[in-house]
Amino acid sequence: MGNHSSLLLREEEIATIQQETGFTPNQIERLYSRFTSLDKGDNGFLCREDFHRIPELAINPLGDRIVNAFFCESGSEDQLNFKQFMKVLAHFRPVKKDKENKLNSREGKLRFAFQMYDTDNDEQISKEELLGVLQMMVGDNISEEQLVSIAERTIVEADKDGDQMISFQEFCTALERTDVEQKMSIRFLN
């Protein structure tokens, strides 16, 4: 399945994906091979179940949120084609200062991270959403009281307009000194 599928990717498609995402042709072909190996139904697209079969996602406490982000980002509820898959992965490429790419910018990475917390997709992070994600991350390792305290303190520190919510702009401001370009990067092999 994996090797013969790479023949289905035309040079024009590779060039378009390279231009939109910044991946090299070699990286695109490698990721296409990975995409086709995940596509168990050989449908030309991935569904949520395909992602849940990835061992690293299956054990990640935020696995469901990561999978949801892939589908939210693509604008599809239940199917993700290769081009959409690549656009989401582009957020995780290391940022190159000399090559601007909106998918792989500081703002793009922050937008993706923001979506992890904005579980109802209303462009705001509420205390309840923050608490829910914190609970996913730490499980039973921290008491409910401690989690509530962390969530409340985070809202107080990040909320600049006093609405008890964190907007995307407030989220960006709170992470101003964080090196998201590095922390949200995966090295993709050539």
Side-chain angles (χ1 to χ4, degrees):
M1 183 191 292
N3 265 353
H4 89 284
S5 296
S6 64
L7 300 173
L8 302 175
L9 202 55
R10 297 188 325 267
E11 282 190 41
E12 311 87 67
E13 291 173 304
I14 292 173
T16 301
I17 293 168
Q18 181 179 13
Q19 183 179 4
E20 290 179 5
T21 65
F23 282 110
T24 67
N26 259 359
Q27 290 170 325
I28 294 167
E29 287 182 16
R30 286 180 89 106
L31 290 166
Y32 187 72
S33 177
R34 178 68 171 143
F35 177 87
T36 57
S37 71
L38 292 171
D39 178 14
K40 296 296 183 201
D42 213 10
N43 304 310
F45 60 83
L46 300 179
C47 61
R48 290 174 186 275
E49 293 75 36
D50 294 325
F51 280 94
H52 288 295
R53 281 194 288 270
I54 299 170
E56 295 83 0
L57 279 178
I59 62 168
N60 188 319
L62 293 178
D64 284 337
R65 293 298 309 140
I66 293 168
V67 171
N68 284 339
F70 265 85
F71 288 89
C72 285
E73 189 78 13
S74 75
S76 172
E77 278 301 308
D78 54 0
Q79 294 180 354
L80 193 73
N81 66 31
F82 180 63
K83 197 171 181 181
Q84 293 165 322
F85 177 74
M86 292 300 292
K87 283 183 174 183
V88 176
L89 286 179
H91 291 295
F92 298 100
R93 283 185 44 252
V95 173
K96 291 189 172 144
K97 302 292 182 201
D98 58 332
K99 289 186 179 176
E100 182 118 351
N101 183 304
K102 73 175 187 161
L103 296 174
N104 183 34
S105 63
R106 177 177 179 81
E107 184 176 339
K109 289 178 184 297
L110 286 168
R111 175 69 62 189
F112 192 89
F114 182 81
Q115 289 175 338
M116 292 288 116
Y117 294 94
D118 181 19
T119 58
D120 64 4
N121 300 316
D122 69 349
E123 297 293 314
Q124 300 275 339
I125 300 170
S126 68
K127 179 179 124 187
E128 292 73 26
E129 287 173 309
L130 185 56
L131 192 55
V133 173
L134 289 172
Q135 285 170 328
M136 284 181 228
M137 291 193 300
V138 299
D140 295 329
N141 295 324
I142 294 181
S143 74
E144 181 76 18
E145 282 177 6
Q146 289 172 309
L147 281 177
V148 169
S149 174
I150 292 167
E152 287 173 349
R153 198 168 55 245
T154 301
I155 296 287
V156 166
E157 288 175 18
D159 176 28
K160 299 301 178 199
D161 62 10
D163 65 355
Q164 299 298 302
M165 306 279 256
I166 301 173
S167 68
F168 178 64
Q169 189 54 53
E170 291 167 334
F171 183 80
C172 291
T173 301
L175 293 173
E176 239 169 17
R177 291 190 203 100
T178 303
D179 186 5
V180 293
E181 294 89 342
Q182 193 60 42
K183 292 187 183 304
M184 284 187 65
S185 291
I186 299 170
R187 191 171 153 262
F188 294 94
L189 297 176
N190 277 321

